Amino acid sequence: MALSAAFYTSSQPSRALLCRTRRPNFSQTACFQKTLTIRASTTLDYSKLTVGEKSSAPSKSNSWQWKFKENSINIYYEEHEKEKEGPSKNVLMIPTISDVSTVEEWRSVASNLVQQDGNVNWRATIVDWPGLGYSDRPKMDYTADLMEKFLVDFINAPDGPISGSENDFVVFGGGHAATLTIRAVKRGAVKPKAIAAIAPTWAGPLPIVFGRDSSMETRYGLLRGTLRAPAVGWMMYNMLVSNEKSIESQYKSHVYSNPDNVTPGIIESRYALTKQKGARYVPAAFLTGLLDPVQTREEFVGLFAEMGSQKIPVLVLSTEGSPKRSKAEMEALREAEGVSKFVEVPGALLPQEEYPAMVAEELYKFLQAMVAEELYKFLQENF
């Protein structure tokens, strides 16, 4: 597939590429100071590619059994890996939590990444959240705590797809996924080598617009209960979420930045996800704020600040076309402690799918810098 053959190059070299330093340190060199901000640019029009050209088949798809209380839940995941000699390093890619969350949003980035010819072989694992994508969707009380527990169990499972990594893995997360990962790192449940937060968020669609005072929380509870109800719940879900016009409107207004990039194939794919059995339970929680990792912007920024003390490099990819309120939360991370590098790319809430080549390019630069830092430390300690 043509898109996986090469990254787009910037029309001008970024400051990161012009940095000259002996030690590629995330926190101390000019390349990776927390104040560094880069605006990505391109001279090629990626938006002209069709959804078929942006997609790429997984190297391997499988399911993993997540045991949670009395439930045994089939979790869908994909592994992308190019056949190369030598060991591989693992990258876990986690979709943005939404009504129509799916591994599909990361496929092109994964394909781009594993095709790179370098000193390191990268292996990408993309996983669907429980209750979303192609994973099972049992009727449970979905909360931020439950989603974080799933993430921790998936990473640490002896029979999981990234078992044996011994903390030698990187996490790329979109939206809430990045924030939930960082929350798990803060409490010591997981310890990746590095984290990339793509269009990071912390508030669900209704709380970010209407707030979280007691009267609104009561209304959210009523809406959530209605959406979960057997008959009327399906009716309301079909009206609010599970219809092609609603999905198209959302994608064109705030999920993608360029409405022309929203193809019929994307809408058909996402609509099909909303028709799966149990499809309404996670959206009921997400829309009303139950999946929010934190409650305030201060907590959001504070989570990222913790990564500095844990010496975990963090890349934040903000987007030029995000909705106003979401953009404000991303901007709060621009000068935040714990953020090694802040880059702005085209797109809105799903840049990894709308502009995968540009996102992959920034992520690959981040991985290269991480590997260079590891090599420097090894040489310092052994020679």
Side-chain angles (χ1 to χ4, degrees):
M1 187 169 294
L3 76 92
S4 63
F7 295 122
Y8 289 133
T9 56
S10 299
S11 57
Q12 294 181 345
S14 69
R15 177 181 169 187
L17 294 177
L18 295 176
C19 291
R20 302 187 185 278
T21 178
R22 287 182 174 272
R23 179 177 183 177
N25 185 290
F26 285 95
S27 60
Q28 295 179 8
T29 70
C31 297
F32 293 99
Q33 288 177 350
K34 68 183 181 63
T35 56
L36 174 59
T37 300
I38 297 173
R39 181 182 295 273
S41 61
T42 181
T43 57
L44 300 180
D45 188 1
Y46 188 79
S47 66
K48 299 304 181 184
L49 294 180
T50 66
V51 65
E53 291 172 316
K54 290 183 183 182
S55 299
S56 58
S59 300
K60 182 174 67 174
S61 61
N62 211 330
S63 65
W64 173 72
Q65 293 288 317
W66 183 41
K67 305 233 179 328
F68 179 71
K69 295 183 177 179
E70 69 278 6
N71 297 293
S72 182
I73 304 166
N74 286 312
I75 298 298
Y76 177 85
Y77 69 90
E78 298 178 355
E79 295 174 302
H80 296 250
E81 187 173 17
K82 185 178 179 181
E83 291 186 5
K84 300 178 184 177
E85 294 183 359
S88 298
K89 286 184 176 290
N90 288 292
V91 177
L92 177 60
M93 299 179 176
I94 315 172
T96 302
I97 294 179
S98 72
D99 303 338
V100 289
S101 172
T102 169
V103 293
E104 293 171 7
E105 71 190 54
W106 276 111
R107 281 179 182 164
S108 292
V109 173
S111 179
N112 264 321
L113 182 64
V114 301
Q115 295 295 327
Q116 294 309 300
D117 291 322
N119 296 325
V120 176
N121 300 329
W122 295 103
R123 173 178 173 268
T125 301
I126 320 173
V127 61
D128 267 330
W129 293 98
L132 292 170
Y134 300 105
S135 292
D136 284 353
R137 304 176 179 223
K139 185 176 183 179
M140 300 191 300
D141 293 326
Y142 292 94
T143 64
D145 290 343
L146 181 147
M147 292 306 211
E148 183 186 323
K149 176 170 175 50
F150 158 72
L151 184 60
V152 171
D153 289 350
F154 184 80
I155 291 173
N156 294 332
D159 62 342
I162 62 171
S163 62
S165 296
E166 297 180 354
N167 297 328
D168 190 16
F169 67 96
V170 179
V171 176
F172 295 166
H176 277 38
T179 315
L180 283 166
T181 300
I182 290 176
R183 199 176 81 158
V185 172
K186 179 184 177 181
R187 66 182 184 86
V190 295
K191 192 170 179 62
K193 286 285 187 181
I195 300 170
I198 293 79
T201 57
W202 61 268
L206 295 180
I208 200 170
V209 175
F210 300 108
R212 311 192 73 111
D213 61 38
S214 58
S215 64
M216 290 310 304
E217 289 289 2
T218 299
R219 295 177 186 179
Y220 298 156
L222 290 172
L223 174 60
R224 188 162 53 244
T226 303
L227 283 169
R228 289 172 61 91
V232 69
W234 267 116
M235 292 175 60
M236 180 171 285
Y237 178 71
N238 288 335
M239 179 180 67
L240 295 177
V241 178
S242 184
N243 68 81
E244 291 174 300
K245 287 186 178 180
S246 175
I247 295 171
E248 182 177 11
S249 174
Q250 289 184 44
Y251 268 70
K252 288 186 174 182
S253 66
H254 61 270
V255 178
Y256 276 25
S257 62
N258 184 348
D260 292 339
N261 290 342
V262 182
T263 67
I266 291 173
I267 302 306
E268 290 170 11
S269 167
R270 303 310 190 258
Y271 175 68
L273 291 173
T274 69
K275 292 304 180 184
Q276 293 191 28
K277 181 181 178 181
R280 70 189 190 276
Y281 299 129
V282 169
F286 173 64
L287 288 169
T288 56
L290 274 189
L291 303 188
D292 294 351
V294 295
Q295 302 294 302
T296 67
R297 178 185 293 178
E298 289 71 26
E299 289 181 74
F300 179 58
V301 174
L303 278 181
F304 281 79
E306 289 285 334
M307 298 304 97
S309 61
Q310 300 207 29
K311 298 181 179 179
I312 296 177
V314 175
L315 166 67
V316 171
L317 289 189
S318 180
T319 53
E320 297 170 359
S322 291
K324 182 178 179 180
R325 292 181 177 88
S326 298
K327 178 73 169 179
E329 304 310 317
M330 297 178 204
E331 282 296 316
L333 298 174
R334 185 181 288 271
E335 302 294 336
E337 295 290 337
V339 175
S340 311
K341 186 178 179 184
F342 187 100
V343 179
E344 190 170 78
V345 297
L349 296 181
L350 216 58
Q352 63 268 35
E353 182 174 66
E354 188 179 6
Y355 296 102
M358 296 192 68
V359 169
E361 182 181 17
E362 295 299 333
L363 294 175
Y364 188 59
K365 290 177 189 175
F366 182 62
L367 292 175
Q368 286 179 305
M370 181 196 74
V371 170
E373 173 68 10
E374 289 179 346
L375 177 59
Y376 177 85
K377 289 180 179 178
F378 174 81
L379 294 174
Q380 287 290 95
E381 292 170 0
N382 293 278
F383 296 95

